[in-house]
Amino acid sequence: MQKPPTAVVGSWSKQAWSQVLSRTTNARARQFPQLSKALSPSRILALCLMSKDNYQRSRFRLAIWQIINLRTGRLPILTLQYWLAKQDPSPEKELVVPIIPRTQADWDDALNGLAQRGWSKDHLDHWIWILSGENGDARVERLLSPSHLHPKPIFLLLLLLRSNESFRKPESLISLIHYTSTHHMARTCGTTPEEQAHPRHVLTVTQFICLMRRLSYHVKIVHPPSIIAVAHLIADYIKSIPNDPHHTHHRTDYYHQCLVYNVALVCLRVPTPKDPLINMELNWRAQRFLLATSDGLDKPLIINKRTYQAIRKVLVGLKKSRGEKAVALRYAKSWPPYRQDFDGRDVKRTAADDMSRSVRAGVLMVEAGYPPSDYDRALDVLGGSNQGSPTIQTRSLPPKQWMGPKEGWNIYSHWAMSVRATRNAQEAWRIFNRFPGMPGLAPNREVYSEMFLKLQAATVDPEPGSDLLPGESRETFPVHDANYSPYELARLSPPTVPELYDEMISRGIRPGGYGLHSLVSHATSVEEGLRYLQDSGIPSEVIKSMAVFRQPSYAMLMKVPLLSFSSFIRLLCRLQPDRRGREKVPVDELHRIRHAIKLVSIRLAPDTVEGTTFRSPWQMILQELTRPHIAIRNGLTPENNVEVLALFVEVFRSARNSIGIDADLFMLLCRVIQRAALSRLSSLSNSRRAKGPLVPRAQDLFYLITSTFSELTTPIAEKKSASLQAAQFQYPLRSPHLHAYMRALGFLDAKKEMIRLAFWMLDNYGFVDQEADRLGARGQAMIASTFCAFHAFAGSALAEDNTVQQELQDRMDRLIANGGHWRWPTPEEVEGYLSGGSEILQRRNAARSYLGL
């Protein structure tokens, strides 16, 4: 140990210096050295796992040196040191050299220390084998290998769930949840001492909170339905706290139960990256299960203010209930939208009866003794109430919540949500110009962003009897201004987007956040979109490299925030030209979507964490390639559509290699096959329609689409699924996906596969019907359309095989007898389903069956 300079030593007393020596030579300090939180042993081990090239290794080398030079018995450090000592020193010379001088006696001492705690060299070898897996799924599979079913150290479990890990298989996460429940939680009071887990294997409260957050993070990315299984795991852990061997006197059991309960409810409110509003129902089911768990305990758990807010954040994202829809129907067309009484029952209703679920939760929060803040008032506005005055209850993600010294900025969140909770741009402009109660307050970027969204939103005019209500979507509703004079109309009319943008820039406010993303994605040209990005603060050299026909580097694109990059990809896709009304399209316009593909391939490489988790750019490109009349080359329409199909399949395989597969990408594949086949079918004469496939390389497409469906419908292990209330299948397939698949099989003339699909739907009635109910009446209507497509396109095959037809009928009869509500369509319903290309395809399939093709 290097001594401090003499002058400094001389100024210290002998007692002080002896205390320093005591601390630095203490046996416990050597065994458990103090490390900064950023350089914890598990963190350093995670850095070694993610360092896949020399650049990353050089960044983390100093941090790793700090760990590998320590002499300690901590399991993560020993694992890392033993791992490096076993590696070939030539490629990792700078890291391995400090380990090599260790003598065999040093390793014997370290291994003896492990043996005293119940571990051995074989355990170290096994842990290193687990960590050496090529990806997250492989490491989980090794962790749960049947040949090594004994509990592993907790640091290993937490390491596999680190935030920069990526998973493809939902079953990996389900298996980890089941493994944690089995091996790392205290048993109930009824178990014998032999069945109790060893204290070192039981998760402490701090460890469980860490695991819960990491599990929730990965589940929401990979398989949102499994958040229900996470909620069940949390409930089991809360119930197990009184039996935790770490709690000797159990005086803090209730406190720790409340702590886990509140942290869990806050954690479960985080929306999913993909389809956050659609999946908000899953967040609510998870939260509601925990709330019910608290009610079932001997002493209900206490909810703090932050947890009340977390519950309200989920409630504002749910669809309107039946009562909330009734209130919305009674809003007047004026502003503010006061409630109208339609009958005597409405007259008897009180103001409390008209409160939404979110507002009621806010009332409960106040009754519990928590005073409302500006952020609570912002949630009130989304829930349909603004300090007693009605607003439009708006289904929405919650606004950003400012904490700590910036908590006062939540006044702008309140203002911005007041702008959002309006029916059209005119009403929003009135709120934008004058925030009630704060006449001198100037709008900030968040308020401007909401006004931009209102100005750019499409307008809908629901037909009489439509169930579309204000606040259920981003679209705005018509302005009822028939009684206004021209002067009043001019006074109330909002500015255009360029006018409002110039005003914002003149105030010194840069575009940013979701307002910037909306401006870029709705720009009228690529140059305008790049200007918005440059005004946001992105360097000009980066902006120039993103232009069409440029070749940017990965380092350049890394300087663009992911969401801003995604909005630019959306702009390139939206500006891809349409074939209608144009004989020839300029080459630079045709190249836009290919440029988007090139940018995404560079920025979201499959060997990066972002490349395996950020899905939206790939999905936008694939969705754009399914747009009707899209042009990617000059020439005849069938030739263009065939090239679109080839480009789609190429991008689809790249996306599958990077982000994996999901149900929406599968449905886009089905649609692009239909579009290409229908285009060729319409261009052929009647005599040629029955000959040959409708799309090139039909057999390859058939294999691609059927293998993808097989992957999507891979069942989760029944034991794990039942015990944790997990989803039955790894990916949720809903009725629109099944309808698109049935039609695509029809255009590929795959009658046998259509029959298999019909049997699969009947065999999995509970799952398919539940997913259809999540879409309301539309979901069940799509089930009926799927059966109509089956009978329309595969009817000739059924007529030839009476055995299959009778078996299908028997299956449906049994389903109805067991309470099911499906049925086969009537001939009239099948005839009504057929129109245009569907009718032509039916005649083609009948002709091919007649000819024996």
Side-chain angles (χ1 to χ4, degrees):
M1 183 182 66
Q2 184 179 0
K3 293 184 179 180
T6 307
V8 179
V9 175
S11 63
W12 286 4
S13 67
K14 292 183 178 180
Q15 181 180 2
W17 180 242
S18 65
Q19 290 174 353
V20 173
L21 288 175
S22 175
R23 286 197 300 270
T24 56
T25 58
N26 183 275
R28 180 174 179 81
R30 291 200 311 273
Q31 186 176 0
F32 302 103
Q34 295 297 313
L35 299 170
S36 64
K37 184 177 180 180
L39 299 177
S40 65
S42 295
R43 174 63 176 159
I44 299 300
L45 191 50
L47 292 178
C48 285
L49 285 176
M50 67 176 289
S51 299
K52 299 178 181 179
D53 52 45
N54 291 331
Y55 171 72
Q56 291 178 328
R57 294 187 187 101
S58 63
R59 287 179 60 197
F60 307 135
R61 183 170 296 139
L62 292 177
I64 297 172
W65 273 352
Q66 180 187 6
I67 294 294
I68 61 181
N69 282 310
L70 294 174
R71 296 296 183 262
T72 174
R74 296 176 71 171
L75 294 182
I77 298 177
L78 272 179
T79 303
L80 175 59
Q81 293 173 342
Y82 192 67
W83 190 3
L84 292 175
K86 294 181 63 176
Q87 291 183 2
D88 179 11
S90 53
E92 301 286 348
K93 187 175 181 180
E94 293 87 350
L95 297 182
V96 180
V97 164
I99 299 293
I100 294 177
R102 270 197 171 191
T103 64
Q104 185 60 42
D106 293 333
W107 282 116
D108 291 341
D109 290 342
L111 295 175
N112 287 335
L114 276 180
Q116 293 175 7
R117 290 180 283 164
W119 306 111
S120 67
K121 175 179 173 295
D122 292 338
H123 287 112
L124 279 177
D125 289 329
H126 182 59
W127 303 340
I128 292 171
W129 175 71
I130 292 172
L131 297 175
S132 301
E134 60 182 4
N135 54 47
D137 296 309
R139 285 188 273 271
V140 170
E141 186 176 352
R142 292 184 177 190
L143 177 77
L144 307 176
S145 59
S147 58
H148 298 82
L149 290 177
H150 58 272
K152 315 300 188 297
I154 291 174
F155 89 88
L156 202 62
L157 175 63
L158 296 177
L159 188 63
L160 295 187
L161 284 169
R162 65 191 190 278
S163 59
N164 58 10
E165 183 62 277
S166 59
F167 297 95
R168 292 283 186 83
K169 300 178 181 178
E171 191 167 5
S172 297
L173 297 173
I174 296 293
S175 299
L176 283 179
I177 296 173
H178 185 263
Y179 166 80
T180 302
S181 176
T182 304
H183 296 289
H184 294 294
M185 287 172 54
R187 301 292 182 265
T188 57
C189 297
T191 57
T192 63
E194 291 76 13
E195 295 174 326
Q196 288 288 353
H198 192 282
R200 73 180 179 195
H201 295 147
V202 176
L203 288 158
T204 65
V205 169
T206 303
Q207 289 171 333
F208 181 80
I209 288 175
C210 178
L211 176 133
M212 171 185 65
R213 285 172 170 160
R214 295 183 182 184
L215 260 179
S216 301
Y217 169 78
H218 287 294
V219 160
K220 289 170 184 175
I221 293 175
V222 179
H223 193 233
S226 293
I227 196 64
I228 312 300
V230 175
H232 280 259
L233 178 71
I234 296 168
D236 291 342
Y237 183 81
I238 291 174
K239 294 175 183 177
S240 74
I241 287 178
N243 307 308
D244 191 337
H246 298 109
H247 297 184
T248 306
H249 302 292
H250 301 287
R251 287 177 294 187
T252 61
D253 286 351
Y254 183 71
Y255 165 79
H256 284 126
Q257 284 181 314
C258 291
L259 175 63
V260 174
Y261 178 67
N262 282 277
V263 173
L265 286 171
V266 172
C267 184
L268 293 175
R269 69 92 188 160
V270 178
T272 60
K274 184 176 181 293
D275 298 331
L277 286 180
I278 294 177
N279 289 319
M280 197 61 76
E281 174 201 348
L282 300 173
N283 295 70
W284 176 233
R285 285 172 58 189
Q287 283 190 337
R288 191 171 56 189
F289 179 79
L290 281 188
L291 293 170
T293 299
S294 172
D295 292 339
L297 298 177
D298 295 336
K299 185 178 180 181
L301 304 177
I302 298 173
I303 300 177
N304 60 30
K305 181 175 182 178
R306 191 178 177 194
T307 303
Y308 273 114
Q309 291 175 337
I311 294 171
R312 299 187 66 194
K313 289 176 182 179
V314 172
L315 291 174
V316 297
L318 298 179
K319 291 181 179 180
K320 290 184 176 71
S321 64
R322 182 177 298 180
E324 291 167 346
K325 286 183 177 180
V327 173
L329 284 170
R330 285 160 174 75
Y331 278 153
K333 297 177 181 179
S334 61
W335 186 262
Y338 62 88
R339 192 200 71 188
Q340 304 171 103
D341 295 332
F342 287 179
D343 51 35
R345 288 175 296 181
D346 289 343
V347 175
K348 295 180 180 180
R349 290 175 62 88
T350 64
D353 295 330
D354 290 343
M355 289 181 181
S356 66
R357 290 167 290 180
S358 175
V359 174
R360 288 177 183 173
V363 172
L364 291 176
M365 181 192 73
V366 175
E367 291 177 351
Y370 302 110
S373 62
D374 286 322
Y375 190 79
D376 295 310
R377 285 184 275 273
L379 295 177
D380 284 341
V381 169
L382 292 178
S385 176
N386 187 10
Q387 298 178 351
S389 178
T391 63
I392 301 300
Q393 182 188 348
T394 303
R395 187 187 185 190
S396 166
L397 294 179
K400 177 179 176 61
Q401 184 174 10
W402 299 98
M403 310 287 284
K406 296 183 179 180
E407 187 175 0
W409 291 11
N410 285 321
I411 184 71
Y412 292 105
S413 298
H414 182 193
W415 190 355
M417 294 307 101
S418 299
V419 174
R420 182 183 296 182
T422 54
R423 291 170 290 200
N424 49 59
Q426 189 183 85
E427 294 175 355
W429 182 239
R430 292 179 64 178
I431 299 296
F432 178 89
N433 281 319
R434 188 176 63 84
F435 184 49
M438 300 290 289
L441 191 65
N444 72 341
R445 187 169 65 188
E446 186 178 5
V447 182
Y448 272 107
S449 296
E450 288 297 334
M451 194 64 222
F452 282 130
L453 290 176
K454 282 293 179 183
L455 293 173
Q456 293 170 331
T459 301
V460 295
D461 192 2
E463 299 177 357
S466 171
D467 59 353
L468 182 62
L469 296 171
E472 292 184 346
S473 64
R474 276 292 185 186
E475 288 79 12
T476 58
F477 279 62
V479 177
H480 299 278
D481 51 10
N483 296 328
Y484 290 164
S485 66
Y487 171 79
E488 190 68 10
L489 287 174
R491 187 181 69 85
L492 295 176
S493 296
T496 62
V497 170
E499 290 172 346
L500 186 64
Y501 183 79
D502 291 340
E503 176 192 322
M504 183 183 74
I505 295 297
S506 67
R507 289 176 178 262
I509 302 175
R510 283 185 170 185
Y514 57 87
L516 170 65
H517 308 150
S518 179
L519 286 169
V520 173
S521 58
H522 287 86
T524 56
S525 66
V526 175
E527 292 73 23
E528 182 183 340
L530 291 174
R531 180 171 69 89
Y532 289 139
L533 291 175
Q534 186 167 358
D535 289 346
S536 71
I538 298 176
S540 58
E541 63 271 15
V542 178
I543 299 298
K544 292 177 182 177
S545 71
M546 295 172 62
V548 180
F549 296 116
R550 294 294 183 92
Q551 181 68 33
S553 64
Y554 175 74
M556 278 288 189
L557 293 180
M558 280 293 291
K559 298 177 182 179
V560 184
L562 266 182
L563 293 179
S564 299
F565 175 79
S566 179
S567 64
F568 183 66
I569 298 301
R570 183 183 295 276
L571 172 65
L572 291 173
C573 293
R574 187 177 63 82
L575 294 181
Q576 185 68 19
D578 198 311
R579 296 186 57 83
R580 290 174 296 182
R582 305 178 72 176
E583 294 183 1
K584 189 173 182 180
V585 181
V587 176
D588 60 330
E589 294 184 22
L590 291 174
H591 188 70
R592 286 169 182 160
I593 197 162
R594 296 185 187 274
H595 183 61
I597 295 169
K598 180 177 66 176
L599 292 178
V600 174
S601 300
I602 296 172
R603 178 70 169 85
L604 301 176
D607 58 347
T608 62
V609 176
E610 293 173 343
T612 56
T613 57
F614 194 57
R615 312 183 67 88
S616 59
W618 288 113
Q619 186 158 354
M620 285 186 288
I621 292 172
L622 291 172
Q623 189 167 5
E624 189 63 24
L625 288 172
T626 63
R627 171 164 58 91
H629 311 294
I630 185 175
I632 66 170
R633 60 168 291 178
N634 288 307
L636 299 177
T637 300
E639 296 173 353
N640 175 81
N641 291 343
V642 168
E643 189 163 338
V644 169
L645 175 60
L647 182 60
F648 181 97
V649 172
E650 179 185 342
V651 177
F652 181 86
R653 287 180 171 141
S654 298
R656 190 174 188 172
N657 184 44
S658 295
I659 59 174
I661 191 64
D662 63 21
D664 290 338
L665 297 186
F666 171 69
M667 185 163 65
L668 294 175
L669 174 62
C670 296
R671 285 179 178 174
V672 78
I673 291 174
Q674 293 178 53
R675 186 152 292 123
L678 185 58
S679 173
R680 177 168 173 77
L681 185 65
S682 302
S683 65
L684 295 175
S685 62
N686 291 334
S687 60
R688 297 178 57 195
R689 282 174 179 166
K691 300 177 181 179
L694 294 176
V695 291
R697 305 183 67 178
Q699 194 61 35
D700 292 342
L701 289 174
F702 172 76
Y703 174 76
L704 179 62
I705 197 173
T706 53
S707 63
T708 303
F709 178 78
S710 177
E711 182 179 349
L712 291 172
T713 54
T714 300
I716 296 174
E718 184 177 352
K719 179 181 177 181
K720 299 171 185 176
S721 177
S723 62
L724 294 166
Q725 299 296 313
Q728 182 178 354
F729 295 100
Q730 298 199 19
Y731 299 90
L733 274 178
R734 302 193 178 102
S735 48
H737 306 110
L738 298 173
H739 179 244
Y741 183 44
M742 186 70 80
R743 286 182 60 86
L745 292 174
F747 281 98
L748 291 173
D749 198 27
K751 299 184 181 66
K752 291 183 179 179
E753 197 64 31
M754 296 176 73
I755 293 172
R756 290 194 190 96
L757 176 58
F759 276 118
W760 183 89
M761 292 178 63
L762 294 173
D763 291 339
N764 298 279
Y765 167 79
F767 168 77
V768 177
D769 190 61
Q770 181 182 9
E771 291 296 328
D773 285 340
R774 293 185 62 188
L775 300 177
R778 173 174 167 263
Q780 295 297 336
M782 292 301 290
I783 293 291
S785 296
T786 304
F787 286 141
C788 285
F790 171 63
H791 275 271
F793 304 149
S796 56
L798 293 177
E800 297 170 0
D801 193 339
N802 292 328
T803 304
V804 173
Q805 189 172 16
Q806 186 60 44
E807 186 177 355
L808 284 169
Q809 186 61 52
D810 293 343
R811 290 276 192 96
M812 184 65 78
D813 291 342
R814 288 198 299 269
L815 188 151
I816 295 173
N818 293 329
H821 54 83
W822 290 355
R823 62 175 178 82
W824 295 120
T826 63
E828 293 76 18
E829 290 171 334
V830 174
E831 191 68 27
Y833 172 81
L834 293 170
S835 62
S838 298
E839 187 175 2
I840 297 173
L841 178 64
Q842 185 196 37
R843 292 201 299 267
R844 175 184 183 271
N845 289 348
R848 287 177 64 83
S849 296
Y850 177 77
L851 297 173
L853 299 175

